[in-house]
């Protein structure tokens, strides 16, 4: 299996990874941290997908996609923190004034999990951010100490996943997900 990670510029592939089975469903579409809270709450049904269609046309696009051959198998949301709700999030601290990028969602399609694709996604997201001039990448995973994380909450990743990618914990957060504390981890790219 040769996994290739590319910028998320193909709407249909992004929709495969984060869109709903029914177009009228109000699923996340990975917008909850990407757009202001007020806009996120106002978007419903197909309007959510249309907002993502706009985002994939922007530079930089909203993340990266992993491919096994021609098949999309994974997604990671990565973008300048200043353009996300993390810029003003009270529970996720800002540790300094560096214009960091945030990496907040890692998803692997069912049937492709437990094959190391999340590691490829994190590495690909970091390389994408680096190619766009990011001085550092932050992530906000759960510190689950090896315990099982509910699959619906696993999108933030685990501390161990990011440690294996070279990230280091730089701060605790006030955020808890699935009963586990989230930590702020950073990889310096300078």
């Amino acid at each position: 299996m040769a996994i290739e990670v590319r910028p998320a510029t193909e709407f249909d592939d992004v929709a495969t990874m984060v869109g709903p089975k029914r177009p009228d469903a109000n699923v996340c579409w990975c917008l909850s941290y990407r757009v202001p809270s007020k806009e996120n709450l106002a978007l419903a049904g197909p309007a959510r997908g249309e907002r993502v269609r706009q985002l994939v046309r922007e530079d930089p696009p909203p993340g990266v996609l992993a491919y096994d051959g021609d098949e999309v198998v994974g997604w990671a949301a990565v973008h300048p923190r200043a353009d996300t709700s993390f810029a003003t999030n009270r529970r996720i601290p800002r540790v300094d004034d560096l214009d960091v990028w945030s990496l907040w969602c890692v998803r692997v399609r069912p049937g492709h999990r437990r094959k190391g694709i999340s590691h490829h996604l994190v590495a690909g997201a970091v390389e994408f951010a680096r190619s766009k001039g990011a001085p550092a990448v932050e992530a906000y995973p759960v510190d689950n100490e090896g315990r099982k994380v509910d699959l619906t909450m696993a999108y933030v990743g685990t501390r161990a996943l990011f440690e294996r990618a070279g990230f280091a914990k730089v701060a605790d957060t006030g955020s808890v997900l699935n009963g586990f504390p989230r930590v702020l981890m950073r990889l310096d790219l300078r």
Side-chain angles (χ1 to χ4, degrees), residues 7-178:
T9 58
E10 297 295 327
F11 173 75
D12 290 342
D13 291 345
V14 174
T16 295
M17 289 307 309
V18 297
K21 289 182 177 44
R22 292 186 355 257
D24 62 328
N26 282 327
V27 299
C28 179
W29 274 101
C30 214
L31 288 171
S32 59
Y33 295 114
R34 179 60 187 90
V35 297
S37 180
K38 194 172 189 176
E39 179 184 0
N40 183 48
L41 293 171
L43 289 169
R48 297 184 70 71
E50 286 309 308
R51 183 65 175 102
V52 172
R53 187 182 299 275
Q54 292 171 352
L55 292 172
V56 299
R57 290 189 207 123
E58 292 179 4
D59 183 25
V64 295
L65 294 164
Y67 293 87
D68 183 359
D70 292 333
E71 184 180 13
V72 64
V73 295
W75 155 263
V78 60
H79 212 74
R81 181 177 170 143
D83 296 339
T84 71
S85 65
F86 292 111
T88 57
N89 191 308
R90 291 187 297 259
R91 290 195 172 110
I92 307 286
R94 182 182 183 105
V95 295
D96 55 33
D97 290 332
L98 199 59
D99 288 327
V100 301
W101 281 45
S102 294
L103 169 52
W104 67 90
C105 179
V106 178
R107 288 194 64 181
V108 176
R109 281 178 72 188
H112 300 276
R113 296 184 180 132
R114 300 199 178 279
K115 297 178 181 177
I117 294 170
S118 60
H119 299 283
H120 289 282
L121 282 163
V122 171
V126 166
E127 286 312 307
F128 174 64
R130 183 190 316 268
S131 76
K132 295 292 186 176
V137 177
E138 285 184 350
Y140 321 106
V142 292
D143 192 355
N144 63 323
E145 299 174 343
R147 295 185 308 247
K148 186 152 178 59
V149 178
D150 182 273
L151 197 55
T152 59
M153 297 297 155
Y155 70 93
V156 298
T158 62
R159 180 176 177 167
L161 169 68
F162 287 96
E163 284 177 338
R164 277 179 259 160
F167 285 67
K169 178 185 169 188
V170 294
D172 289 312
T173 77
S175 180
V176 175
L177 196 59
N178 194 217

